[in-house]
Amino acid sequence: MSKPKASTKPGTASSGHPIVSSAHLVSPRSAEMSEFEFGLIVAGNAFHRWITHCMSAAGLKDLTALDVLVLHHVTHRARDKRLSDIAFIMNVEDTHLINYSLKKLQGLGVVVSSKNGKEVTYAPTEAGKAYVDRYRDIREACLIDALKADDALNHDIGQLARLLRVLSGIYDQAARSAASL
């Protein structure tokens, strides 16, 4: 029996092959992009699982990841938000998905709507703010404490966040290009 070949690239399996979810899409010009996409899939699913469990632990059960994110965004900076602004900031094209979450959150009594002329805006209720505060406490205890971040790790996380924003712009541009084909 032969030993597996040691990887020559960081982030690759011991066989030397990139760790990807769709080998048929790997480009010879950037196998790393396929590795990134697989990492994004796995991290995205883990993040969604985390935020729904964290909010459930805070007392709001049976919310989807989008519901949790909408509640956080509505609470963000203590300013009322319009549906279109929420969708724009969250980069969600289908505003009906945001609208559905807002209606669900209103039904739970954590978000309230108000009308100013023709515009409808949304804000958290006191109960909504309390759930978000509890979520923050749980996040601090379960996630931030486990991270044990130092200045160097926090710098790396910041760099990664900037890279993700750049890549989201590239993916958006590629989506527009593909839509025009």
Side-chain angles (χ1 to χ4, degrees), residues 72-127:
H72 284 307
H73 187 68
V74 167
T75 307
H76 178 63
R77 299 200 193 269
R79 289 194 296 255
D80 291 4
K81 311 288 187 314
R82 297 178 308 163
L83 169 71
S84 59
D85 294 333
I86 297 167
F88 178 73
I89 293 297
M90 293 179 64
N91 200 19
V92 175
E93 226 174 85
D94 300 324
T95 56
H96 71 277
L97 296 173
I98 302 294
N99 191 47
Y100 182 80
S101 284
L102 287 166
K103 298 295 180 210
K104 183 175 179 180
L105 295 168
Q106 283 179 290
L108 293 170
V110 296
V111 168
V112 64
S113 66
S114 59
K115 209 163 183 185
N116 186 7
K118 289 185 177 183
E119 285 195 344
V120 177
T121 58
Y122 300 89
T125 62
E126 289 305 315

Side-chain angles (χ1 to χ4, degrees), residues 34-62:
S34 293
E35 287 185 278
F36 165 76
E37 288 172 344
F38 181 59
L40 189 60
I41 291 165
V42 173
N45 288 326
F47 175 70
H48 286 169
R49 187 171 40 258
W50 153 247
I51 64 174
T52 57
H53 284 285
C54 186
M55 190 55 83
S56 182
L60 273 179
K61 300 183 184 323
D62 301 322

Side-chain angles (χ1 to χ4, degrees), residues 123-168:
T125 62
E126 289 305 315
K129 289 179 198 173
Y131 284 117
V132 169
D133 288 345
R134 178 76 178 123
Y135 178 102
R136 186 183 193 287
D137 293 342
I138 294 166
R139 180 180 183 269
E140 198 70 26
C142 294
L143 181 66
I144 303 302
D145 286 354
L147 187 60
K148 295 182 182 5
D150 59 10
D151 288 342
L153 181 57
N154 282 329
H155 178 266
D156 289 346
I157 291 169
Q159 292 293 100
L160 179 58
R162 284 184 275 291
L163 178 60
L164 284 171
R165 287 191 299 273
V166 167
L167 287 170
S168 73

